[in-house]
């Protein structure tokens, strides 16, 4: 089934549309969510929440503003970041076992593994090292621009400029 056919079914609120939507996008969205939320059960809960948001908010999707996949990817990413910043999630993370910390330390700087999860590794590798750093912080680790500026010890305006330039470079590589 093509994306266009799926969108027609979704707009009609066809009973099968949700199943098709899930089958087409669950793996890639779960990959993005899992990059941010390491706990599998929590990531699965967020995935479920993402699909409910997609279903309920489909009327807000505007084809002229971007691709459907980009729209749902942003919902997944933003929902994951919201989860990470929530008080309940933060409280539940205070008592992690040491096994989780070992994995966090081992995986914390493996941008290649994170990016490959959504098929972008070759494109990200082409970017300047500063771009790779900024994209990793802003998009894969969920930092705000202010937090990224503090982490990189550079002015906020510089982060914003680098981010914009890096995204433009990435668009050029992707021919979007």
């Amino acid at each position: 089934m093509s994306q266009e056919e799926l969108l027609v079914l979704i707009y009609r609120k066809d009973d099968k549309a949700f199943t098709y939507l899930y089958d087409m996008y669950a793996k890639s969205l779960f990959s993005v969510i899992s990059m941010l939320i390491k706990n599998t059960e929590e990531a699965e809960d967020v995935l479920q929440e993402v699909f409910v948001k997609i279903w309920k908010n489909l009327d807000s999707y505007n084809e002229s503003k971007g691709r459907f996949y980009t729209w749902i990817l942003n919902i997944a990413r933003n929902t994951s970041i919201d989860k990470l910043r929530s008080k309940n999630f933060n409280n539940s993370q205070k008592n992690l076992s040491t096994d989780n910390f070992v994995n966090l330390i081992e995986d914390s700087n493996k941008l290649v593994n994170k990016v490959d999860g959504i098929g972008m590794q070759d494109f990200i590798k082409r970017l300047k090292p500063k771009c790779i750093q900024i994209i990793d912080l802003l998009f894969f680790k969920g930092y705000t621009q202010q937090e990224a500026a503090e982490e990189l010890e550079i002015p906020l305006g510089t982060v914003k400029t680098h981010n914009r330039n890096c995204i433009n470079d990435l668009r050029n590589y992707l021919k979007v």
Side-chain angles (χ1 to χ4, degrees):
M1 172 176 291
S2 73
Q3 180 177 299
E4 291 77 24
E5 293 169 328
L6 174 63
L7 287 174
V8 169
L9 289 176
I10 292 173
Y11 284 127
R12 290 185 196 157
K13 299 291 183 186
D14 185 292
D15 294 339
K16 297 177 187 173
F18 189 85
T19 302
Y20 291 135
L21 175 70
Y22 187 86
D23 290 344
M24 287 176 72
Y25 297 108
K27 284 185 181 179
S28 59
L29 293 180
F30 187 73
S31 171
V32 170
I33 293 166
S34 295
M35 284 187 274
L36 294 168
I37 300 178
K38 303 300 181 195
N39 180 305
T40 303
E41 289 176 14
E42 293 282 346
E44 288 170 352
D45 288 345
V46 170
L47 180 66
Q48 183 178 3
E49 185 178 337
V50 165
F51 276 101
V52 170
K53 283 183 179 182
I54 291 168
W55 190 255
K56 286 183 176 180
N57 298 311
L58 191 68
D59 294 336
S60 68
Y61 169 65
N62 184 345
E63 290 181 36
S64 66
K65 291 186 178 181
R67 297 180 331 175
F68 180 70
Y69 180 72
T70 305
W71 183 72
I72 65 173
L73 190 63
N74 281 329
I75 291 173
R77 186 175 143 297
N78 292 340
T79 304
S80 299
I81 291 169
D82 290 346
K83 181 69 169 183
L84 287 172
R85 292 182 178 165
S86 74
K87 187 181 288 188
N88 289 339
F89 184 80
N90 286 328
N91 287 339
S92 72
Q93 298 303 301
K94 288 182 180 176
N95 295 321
L96 288 175
S97 71
T98 55
D99 293 338
N100 288 335
F101 287 110
V102 171
N103 292 333
L104 288 172
I105 291 168
E106 289 175 357
D107 292 340
S108 66
N109 293 318
K110 292 184 181 177
L111 176 64
V112 171
N113 293 339
K114 295 175 185 176
V115 174
D116 195 40
I118 59 172
M120 299 279 297
Q121 180 180 5
D122 292 335
F123 297 109
I124 298 289
K125 282 183 184 177
R126 294 183 191 175
L127 296 173
K128 299 172 195 159
K130 185 59 88 178
C131 286
I132 293 171
Q133 232 181 352
I134 288 175
I135 287 175
D136 181 44
L137 291 175
L138 296 176
F139 295 96
F140 296 107
K141 292 184 178 171
Y143 281 45
T144 64
Q145 289 180 338
Q146 181 64 45
E147 291 168 339
E150 292 167 6
E151 177 76 19
L152 298 172
E153 298 177 350
I154 58 177
L156 176 60
T158 303
V159 169
K160 291 179 178 186
T161 301
H162 282 318
N163 183 35
R164 185 174 51 253
N165 293 338
C166 295
I167 295 301
N168 285 335
D169 290 346
L170 192 55
R171 280 188 183 125
N172 289 333
Y173 295 142
L174 295 170
K175 305 282 190 244
V176 175

